[in-house]
């Protein structure tokens, strides 16, 4: 039987097929990794949950839709009752979707959702869309439980401070960032003796609808101050801010709590009405320390109207951030488009923030979306303003994917060296022992001692784990042992070579 030559064409063909197969596998793996990194193609439409007509949420929804349309994305606006309904729709809706929510209301929803999960685990039926937030159906109708209000609205930075703690619950929602601050107002009649919230005991107040951001903050402040005799007038669920303000102007309540921008028609109208005055919350900083969803802000004297000097003194207020909330699986390209819209809509200065302060990466009690986190840390590159949004986004994705692949290639190139490093250390130690044998050989040491040491080195080298890339080095080392052994065995009887 003749041995097949190394130049045999059949062997060469098999070798080429083997190389081609390996290259194909590597190419397929890199393709899968590349597609995973750039993500699936972005949908061209999205649902935006806003708020009642005439509210800031409703207005911003339309402005977002205009910005998205400029980037080739069709936005379907859904008018809702506000933050809680938006959150429920985001949790239980389908398709690409996003909505506005007050940070304080996110806490209320989380607590109610946790209650529902606990009840379901205790043997109740699986929560549906109206029950998925525990008694959220009641919250939506305007009847949150006292326990929900306690847990959600009295949660503080440190659970040890108050004994309350918001349950850990995964809503599968993420924040795309804080959009702006919405201040909380307390109005009273001019000439009344109401100077702060401690003067409210026994009075009749308007505090928004049940489940609204105004009601959440109002009840939190009343409860934390121990005001148990304040009577809150229950409002019709369909009552608008204008209608509530009109009821207050007619004297049907002594105090009005409301949330909104000082430039909104309703708030501005109340600020300029000579019959009423805003009440400063002198302990706003204390509330900020107690509630992590509250920010304390100030409105300097004369800010609203310099000619009329409105307000007539500096106001200390509290505010809650408005969050842009989306499901955690929202396509990154849509996230980019939404952040582009948010930057366009909210970048201007307000009476409570400097230009460029918003949007920002403060996610309240929800985790921050990874794409949004990258946006807030790095921003959009300047070159994006010179190319269409869709193209810029895909260039961004490809650059990110290529960067990741390049990093992977660099890592893979040094991986063999990393793997071989322990082997190299062991070979180095054994080589030092052989050097000593060589030195002993030149010094005329005992042949038996040198052979015994070489046998020990040989035995140690046999048990080494040899990385595939170091096979030649290992065989050369083994040959070195054999060569030195032959030299030792070649010693003459008188110790000479």
């Amino acid at each position: 039987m003749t041995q097949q030559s190394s130049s045999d064409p059949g062997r060469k063909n098999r070798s080429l097929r083997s190389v081609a197969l390996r290259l194909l596998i590597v190419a397929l793996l890199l393709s899968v990794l590349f597609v995973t990194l750039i993500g699936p193609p972005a949908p061209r439409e999205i649902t935006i949950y806003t708020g009642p007509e005439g509210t800031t949420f409703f207005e911003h929804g339309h402005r977002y839709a205009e910005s998205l349309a400029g980037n080739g994305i069709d936005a379907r606006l859904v008018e809702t009752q506000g933050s809680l309904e938006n959150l429920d729709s985001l949790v239980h809706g389908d398709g690409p979707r996003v909505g506005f929510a007050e940070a304080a209301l996110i806490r209320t929803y989380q607590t109610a959702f946790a209650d529902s999960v606990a009840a379901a685990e205790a043997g109740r039926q699986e929560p549906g869309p109206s029950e998925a937030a525990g008694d959220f159906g009641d919250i939506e109708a305007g009847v949150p439980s006292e326990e929900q209000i306690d847990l959600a609205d009295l949660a503080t930075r440190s659970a040890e401070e108050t004994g309350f703690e918001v349950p850990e619950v995964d809503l599968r929602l993420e924040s795309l960032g804080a959009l702006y601050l919405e201040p909380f107002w307390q109005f009273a009649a001019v000439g009344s003796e109401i100077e702060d919230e401690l003067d409210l005991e026994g009075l009749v107040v308007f505090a928004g609808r049940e489940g609204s951001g105004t009601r959440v903050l109002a009840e939190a402040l009343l409860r934390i101050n121990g005001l148990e005799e304040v009577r809150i007038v229950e409002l019709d669920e369909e009552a608008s801010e204008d209608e509530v303000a009109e009821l207050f102007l007619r004297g049907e309540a002594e105090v009005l709590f409301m949330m909104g921008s000082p430039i909104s028609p309703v708030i501005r109208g109340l600020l300029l009405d000579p019959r009423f005055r805003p009440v400063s919350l002198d302990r706003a900083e204390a509330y900020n320390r107690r509630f992590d969803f509250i920010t304390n802000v100030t409105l300097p004297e004369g800010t609203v109207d310099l000619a009329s000097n409105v307000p007539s003194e500096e106001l200390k207020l509290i505010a809650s951030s408005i969050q842009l909330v989306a499901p955690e699986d929202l396509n990154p390209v849509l996230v980019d488009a939404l952040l582009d819209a948010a930057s366009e809509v909210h970048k201007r200065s307000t009476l409570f923030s400097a230009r460029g302060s918003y949007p920002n990466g403060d996610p309240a009690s929800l985790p921050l979306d990874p794409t949004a986190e990258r946006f807030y840390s790095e921003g959009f590159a300047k070159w994006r303003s010179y190319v269409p949004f869709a193209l810029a986004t895909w260039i961004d994705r490809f650059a990110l994917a290529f960067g990741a692949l390049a990093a992977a290639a660099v890592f893979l190139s040094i991986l063999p060296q990393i793997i071989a490093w322990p082997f190299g250390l062991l070979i180095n130690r054994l080589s030092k022992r052989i050097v000593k044998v060589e030195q002993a050989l030149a010094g005329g040491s005992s042949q038996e001692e040198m052979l015994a040491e070489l046998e020990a080195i040989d035995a140690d080298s046999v048990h080494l784990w040899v990385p595939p890339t170091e096979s030649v080095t290992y065989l050369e080392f083994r040959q070195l042992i054999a060569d030195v052994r032959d030299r030792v065995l070649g010693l003459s009887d008188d110790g000479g070579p």
Side-chain angles (χ1 to χ4, degrees), residues 87-114:
L87 291 167
D88 199 45
S89 299
L90 290 171
V91 169
H92 303 292
D94 294 316
R97 55 201 186 278
V98 70
F100 305 108
E102 294 157 337
L105 268 295
I106 293 173
R107 283 298 186 86
T108 299
Y109 188 87
Q110 285 176 310
T111 300
F113 193 97

Side-chain angles (χ1 to χ4, degrees), residues 384-422:
R384 290 176 63 111
S385 59
Y386 300 103
V387 297
F389 174 82
L391 177 60
T393 297
W394 279 110
I395 291 175
D396 240 3
R397 301 283 163 215
F398 275 93
L400 181 65
F402 278 120
L405 290 176
V410 172
F411 175 75
L412 291 175
S413 68
I414 64 173
L415 184 60
Q417 300 175 39
I418 296 174
I419 294 175
W421 181 63

Side-chain angles (χ1 to χ4, degrees), residues 121-428:
E121 291 177 350
R124 281 181 51 187
Q125 62 183 17
E126 288 295 321
S130 64
E131 289 190 314
D135 295 327
F136 180 70
D138 291 337
I139 290 178
E140 204 168 45
V143 195
S145 70
E146 184 173 350
E147 181 184 7
Q148 288 165 345
I149 292 295
D150 281 344
L151 286 174
D153 304 329
L154 299 181
T156 62
R157 297 181 188 278
S158 171
E160 292 79 9
E161 290 182 7
T162 61
F164 293 106
E165 184 175 3
V166 175
E168 292 291 333
V169 57
D170 183 9
L171 298 177
R172 299 192 180 280
L173 297 179
E174 293 178 332
S175 172
L176 304 189
L179 304 179
Y180 57 94
L181 290 175
E182 190 165 70
F184 177 81
W185 302 89
Q186 178 180 327
F187 289 98
V190 170
S192 69
E193 297 181 355
I194 300 172
E195 298 299 331
D196 61 32
E197 56 276 19
L198 296 179
D199 296 328
L200 300 180
E201 191 73 308
L203 301 185
V204 178
V205 304
F206 283 141
R209 295 188 303 272
E210 287 278 8
S212 67
T214 301
R215 177 62 68 89
V216 166
L217 288 180
E219 292 197 349
L221 263 62
L222 295 176
R223 185 168 288 109
I224 202 72
N225 285 297
L227 302 175
E228 300 177 354
E229 303 300 325
V230 178
R231 185 166 75 84
I232 298 177
V233 178
E234 297 300 336
L235 299 169
D236 187 285
E237 190 173 334
E238 302 299 323
S240 67
E241 289 185 345
D242 288 319
E243 291 170 336
V244 174
E246 182 60 32
L247 291 173
F248 178 60
L249 293 173
R250 282 162 29 193
E252 298 193 18
E254 296 158 283
V255 171
L256 170 65
F257 290 116
M258 188 169 282
M259 292 189 72
S261 167
I263 63 174
S264 69
V266 175
I267 301 295
R268 183 176 175 81
L270 289 168
L271 288 169
L272 295 177
D273 193 312
R275 295 171 294 174
F276 302 98
R277 62 183 175 84
V279 179
S280 181
L281 298 178
D282 292 335
R283 297 186 295 168
E285 176 64 28
Y287 296 132
N288 172 244
R289 299 292 180 91
R290 295 298 299 273
F291 302 103
D292 63 356
F293 52 81
I294 283 179
T295 300
N296 61 298
V297 295
T298 59
L299 188 66
E301 179 181 344
T303 304
V304 176
D305 191 312
L306 284 169
S308 302
N309 196 35
V310 176
S312 60
E313 61 181 4
E314 181 181 84
L315 293 179
K316 295 179 180 179
L317 304 172
I318 59 174
S320 177
S321 68
I322 303 302
Q323 301 282 321
L324 186 60
V325 183
E328 62 183 8
D329 59 352
L330 186 64
N331 188 284
V333 175
L334 288 179
V335 174
D336 277 346
L338 288 164
L339 292 173
D340 191 46
S343 298
E344 180 181 329
V345 173
H346 305 292
K347 68 182 178 182
R348 297 175 179 83
S349 61
T350 71
L351 295 181
F352 298 106
S353 61
R355 180 181 177 85
S357 299
Y358 289 92
N360 62 45
D362 177 9
S365 55
L366 291 173
L368 187 62
D369 176 87
T371 302
E373 186 173 7
R374 184 166 66 92
F375 167 76
Y376 291 121
S377 63
E378 303 174 11
F380 286 141
K382 291 183 178 180
W383 60 264
R384 290 176 63 111
S385 59
Y386 300 103
V387 297
F389 174 82
L391 177 60
T393 297
W394 279 110
I395 291 175
D396 240 3
R397 301 283 163 215
F398 275 93
L400 181 65
F402 278 120
L405 290 176
V410 172
F411 175 75
L412 291 175
S413 68
I414 64 173
L415 184 60
Q417 300 175 39
I418 296 174
I419 294 175
W421 181 63
F423 171 80
L425 288 178
L426 294 175
I427 286 293
N428 187 51

